[in-house]
Amino acid sequence: MRILIATAGSRGDVAPYTGLGAELRRAGYDVALAATDTFAPLVRDAGLEFRSLPADTGERGGTGKRELMRTAAAFATELGQGFADAVEEGTDLLLLSTTTAPLGWHLTEATGIPSLGVYLQPTTPTGDFPPVVTGSRSLGRLANRATGRFALRMADRVYEQAAAKLRHRLELPPASPSEIRRRQEQANWPVLHGFSTTLVPRPSDWRSGLRVVGNWWPHHDESERLSAELEDFLCAGPRPVLIGFGSMASGDGERLSEIAVRALRRAGLRGILQAGSAGLAADGDDVLAIGDVPHTLLFPRLAAVVHHAGAGTSAAALRAGVPAVTVPVTADQPFWASRLATLGAATAPIPFRSLTAERLADSLEQAVKQQAHSRAATRASKHLATENGAGRTLKIIQQLANE
């Protein structure tokens, strides 16, 4: 069976699928992963075939909601055309991320290739919580469901133009994204969610085709080791704190580095700054700056992790049993930050715009010195160890193949 996994977004939107793809490949499937060119090395390192999708090259005309919607819609249109090019003859199954599913549905209709959703976020409306993109507190069951439906309508608007162009190219009759979504719901289209039930238990008001299977962990080479410099730093004193913002906060490195170093010294902690897109840098013997390092090698050796609360980093810190201080920036990050805090595995979130050295130092002291956060993270870690997201996904695909 030839499987194509398609995703679009930042590193956190791509890396989990390298682990899922590697698991499917070990089971004998021929697996390709379609993403933007930046992630070609990541995909190939996992032993998967890489297929190119267009990058988000749209000039951002501003940061207002209307401009952002327009930019997103233009990107979705370009993505749709690129996605159609990436689906080759002989593909037997499409695995579609949250960002590619609204396009993949049309390809499934045109080609007859079966598909299923592999989502990193819960997007289906539920009474249990509001939509992840709002990041707000629960509004009550009725309002949660209503805002969930509204969020889907907003997403439909982003994909409207892309869907129309793609359907024209595929010689399909016109159909709006919302119409296609209704058809998918009626057909009980399967969607697997790659996050832990310890963070988001499966809502009881979801239809039967929606499952929570556990995390898909990024592929990493078993022979990989931490650098000698990082090993020496880890061994040179008490467990340090890692501070990083992933692909967020680009161009804000100088200010963030200063805040991070001041906060660490105020809290009396050693630190590791992960450069990321912000370009964090360090000075002094008590702080080390590093580039990309597999979470699975580094996180278990830390006192705490300060991160932007992306889905992947949030799960990685929990897996390592390490408490977190979250500084959510945008999109689904406030949602995961709030989930970690509710679980007790993180301090109350510090919104990115409100970040100061004083607030960060106070939260770090809480996370490292109050054992409650460590205990909650350890409990969650034990739960995550019982879940096998890639293994469960493989079983479901095998069942679908036999039907």
Side-chain angles (χ1 to χ4, degrees):
M1 185 192 278
R2 293 179 63 193
I3 297 173
L4 175 64
I5 306 172
T7 184
S10 66
R11 187 187 179 93
D13 298 302
V14 178
Y17 299 112
T18 61
L20 174 58
E23 176 79 9
L24 297 174
R25 191 176 63 83
R26 279 192 294 273
Y29 295 118
D30 182 349
V31 184
L33 203 163
T36 53
D37 288 346
T38 315
F39 304 111
L42 200 67
V43 172
R44 293 191 178 117
D45 286 349
L48 308 175
E49 180 195 337
F50 174 75
R51 299 216 191 132
S52 178
L53 290 179
D56 183 358
T57 51
E59 284 298 314
R60 297 188 188 283
T63 53
K65 283 191 177 168
R66 193 161 289 172
E67 288 94 335
L68 289 174
M69 288 281 279
R70 203 174 293 132
T71 303
F75 172 54
T77 302
E78 199 183 335
L79 185 64
Q81 299 302 305
F83 191 6
D85 295 332
V87 178
E88 294 176 357
E89 276 185 39
T91 301
D92 300 303
L93 178 65
L94 292 174
L95 300 187
L96 306 170
S97 74
T98 316
T99 45
T100 59
L103 303 164
W105 296 339
H106 308 288
L107 287 159
T108 286
E109 187 182 334
T111 61
I113 300 169
S115 63
L116 58 96
V118 282
Y119 289 8
L120 299 174
Q121 301 86 6
T123 61
T124 304
T126 171
D128 289 6
F129 46 81
V132 297
V133 288
T134 66
S136 59
R137 289 193 177 88
S138 179
L139 309 165
R141 296 193 67 82
L142 281 174
N144 284 346
R145 265 195 292 267
T147 52
R149 286 192 292 270
F150 177 73
L152 284 182
R153 282 200 297 278
M154 288 297 98
D156 287 344
R157 280 178 59 187
V158 168
Y159 285 95
E160 201 160 8
Q161 181 188 357
K165 280 200 165 180
L166 187 55
R167 290 184 74 81
H168 178 73
R169 172 177 166 171
L170 297 169
E171 298 180 350
L172 292 170
S176 67
S178 55
E179 198 179 317
I180 294 293
R181 191 161 34 76
R182 278 194 297 275
R183 286 185 210 163
Q184 294 291 344
E185 285 166 9
Q186 283 161 2
N188 204 24
W189 185 63
V191 179
L192 312 181
H193 295 84
F195 47 74
S196 174
T197 54
T198 197
L199 273 178
V200 186
R202 183 188 181 280
S204 57
D205 56 357
W206 272 7
R207 60 183 174 81
S208 61
L210 306 173
R211 304 188 221 191
V212 178
V213 296
N215 287 90
W216 302 304
W217 301 109
H219 169 79
H220 93 99
D221 188 337
E222 294 295 331
S223 65
E224 198 168 355
R225 297 286 176 268
L226 298 177
S227 70
E229 183 188 27
L230 182 49
E231 273 295 348
D232 289 347
F233 184 80
L234 288 165
C235 296
R239 287 182 172 222
V241 168
L242 176 78
I243 300 178
F245 299 99
S247 56
M248 297 290 119
S250 184
D252 219 357
E254 199 173 323
R255 183 180 73 86
L256 289 173
S257 302
E258 189 190 332
I259 287 174
V261 172
R262 276 178 48 217
L264 287 164
R265 289 180 181 152
R266 189 178 170 123
L269 296 164
R270 301 192 320 133
I272 298 170
L273 305 191
Q274 190 158 30
S277 294
L280 298 189
D283 61 355
D285 295 338
D286 56 345
V287 185
L288 176 73
I290 61 168
D292 278 339
V293 173
H295 292 157
T296 187
L297 293 180
L298 179 59
F299 280 18
R301 301 180 63 181
L302 300 170
V305 183
V306 177
H307 61 78
H308 60 300
T313 315
S314 298
L318 276 188
R319 185 192 198 188
V322 177
V325 173
T326 59
V327 186
V329 184
T330 186
D332 58 339
Q333 293 159 16
F335 174 81
W336 297 112
S338 149
R339 290 268 147 178
L340 287 171
T342 302
L343 203 59
T347 54
I350 306 172
F352 182 71
R353 290 173 195 277
S354 312
L355 182 65
T356 62
E358 292 70 27
R359 283 191 73 173
L360 183 53
D362 290 349
S363 293
L364 277 171
E365 284 190 1
Q366 270 186 56
V368 175
K369 292 170 185 170
Q370 291 180 11
Q371 290 303 303
H373 296 301
S374 277
R375 283 197 293 270
T378 302
R379 276 196 304 275
S381 164
K382 287 177 179 164
H383 180 95
L384 263 69
T386 67
E387 297 174 324
N388 178 359
R392 283 193 65 192
T393 304
L394 170 62
K395 279 192 178 138
I396 290 163
I397 287 172
Q398 287 168 333
Q399 285 163 5
L400 289 172
N402 294 329
E403 279 176 9

